[in-house]
Amino acid sequence: LHYPLRRQRQMCIRDRIQSLSDAVRYVVRAAVPGALVECGVWKGGSALAMALTLARLGEADRGLWLYDTFDEGWPPATERDVTVTGKTAHDCYVEARAAGATDADLWAAFERVKALLLGSGYPAGNIHFVQGRVEETIPGDAPETIALLRLDTDWYESTRHELEHLYPRLAPGGVLILSEKKISHDPLLNRKYIDIYHRFKLERGYSELEIARKREALENVLIPFSIEENRELLLDAGFTSVEPFF
């Protein structure tokens, strides 16, 4: 995959895109049956990586299911979606708007994402766009068998809903990917995480301006959970063993 041409379309760093492509290659080579599913598509970069990988492997008969609210905007948050200091997601959203964040900063236009994926060369009939809240579209509009399941919808309730309804459809040997930032209850560690991530983005070719714009648009809006909260979420969904890694 030619990463530099696509980095503006997704928020994932290069190594994570490579890991996602490796996961697609694994399910194809291991003949794990089922569709590839992503909840939380945003501008479509990760979905594009999956489509291009499938196309290069000559695997054109798998369904690619993509769930997002797109330009309908974010669904309401709950009391679980707060910052470590207790600030609500709504308050953070209002602050982001006041700081100049636009619709284009916060969510992606459906038609633009659709055009991106349909231009990948992967068969259009096998790409399924499902717009709306996952609590309303899943499980009614979802594949019966899933080979790869990637979850990145940020809110607690949506992620829990996806795990409860989609994880049971994951085929034996299939791949589950949770793309989540973590937060520490130690402010010093949080500052260190931010500094390390900033340096990493610079090393990968992002400019100071690009990094600053993203931080201004998303800081205190996309709210991470602690490791303990993520662990609780997975155990509640039925997992018997949970091991975080970085």
Side-chain angles (χ1 to χ4, degrees):
L1 296 175
H2 189 47
Y3 173 78
L5 292 179
R6 300 195 337 276
R7 67 185 180 90
Q8 297 297 333
R9 301 185 184 122
Q10 41 79 30
M11 296 176 65
C12 297
I13 59 178
R14 179 175 59 187
D15 291 345
R16 293 179 185 173
I17 288 291
Q18 186 61 56
S19 295
L20 178 59
S21 299
D22 289 344
V24 174
R25 281 189 283 270
Y26 157 74
V27 298
V28 170
R29 291 169 180 169
V32 179
L36 275 58
V37 176
E38 180 175 51
C39 299
V41 179
W42 202 52
K43 293 188 177 181
S46 295
L48 179 63
M50 292 192 289
L52 291 174
T53 303
L54 287 173
R56 290 187 176 186
L57 293 173
E59 188 85 356
D61 58 350
R62 288 183 186 260
L64 183 59
W65 290 73
L66 307 174
Y67 297 84
D68 205 297
T69 52
F70 296 105
D71 37 18
E72 291 179 2
W74 293 341
T78 70
E79 67 278 1
R80 301 295 298 268
D81 302 306
V82 297
T83 67
V84 70
T85 60
K87 186 181 296 184
T88 67
H90 177 71
D91 289 341
C92 295
Y93 171 81
V94 171
E95 289 181 4
R97 284 297 200 185
T102 66
D103 288 355
D105 295 319
L106 300 175
W107 48 75
F110 172 69
E111 290 301 328
R112 183 172 297 177
V113 177
K114 183 177 179 181
L116 175 69
L117 269 296
L118 294 182
S120 68
Y122 196 71
N126 287 337
I127 303 178
H128 307 272
F129 299 93
V130 185
Q131 184 172 13
R133 297 178 59 183
V134 293
E135 294 92 332
E136 298 171 356
T137 60
I138 296 171
D141 196 2
E144 290 299 321
T145 305
I146 299 172
L148 186 152
L149 175 60
R150 181 179 184 275
L151 307 182
D152 191 12
T153 52
D154 298 304
W155 294 156
Y156 179 91
E157 291 298 333
S158 61
T159 304
R160 179 169 182 164
H161 183 86
E162 293 151 10
L163 283 170
E164 289 178 344
H165 292 281
L166 297 180
Y167 177 72
R169 303 187 183 201
L170 193 65
V175 177
L176 170 66
I177 299 174
L178 293 175
S179 179
E180 293 292 340
K181 296 178 175 66
K182 66 169 287 292
I183 193 168
S184 170
H185 295 295
D186 185 329
L188 178 61
L189 287 178
N190 279 329
R191 184 69 256 170
K192 290 294 185 183
Y193 291 147
I194 292 171
D195 291 343
I196 292 170
Y197 185 69
H198 182 92
R199 291 199 303 270
F200 189 90
K201 298 288 279 189
L202 288 174
E203 291 170 359
R204 292 304 185 272
Y206 286 82
S207 69
E208 290 279 3
L209 180 60
E210 288 175 310
I211 298 170
R213 283 177 173 172
K214 178 183 173 183
R215 179 177 295 180
E216 290 171 2
L218 301 179
E219 192 167 26
N220 290 328
V221 177
L222 295 180
I223 304 169
F225 298 120
S226 67
I227 288 180
E228 292 78 13
E229 288 170 321
N230 278 299
R231 178 181 173 84
E232 177 188 348
L233 182 68
L234 291 168
L235 292 174
D236 285 348
F239 287 83
T240 58
S241 179
V242 178
E243 183 66 29
F245 65 92
F246 302 95

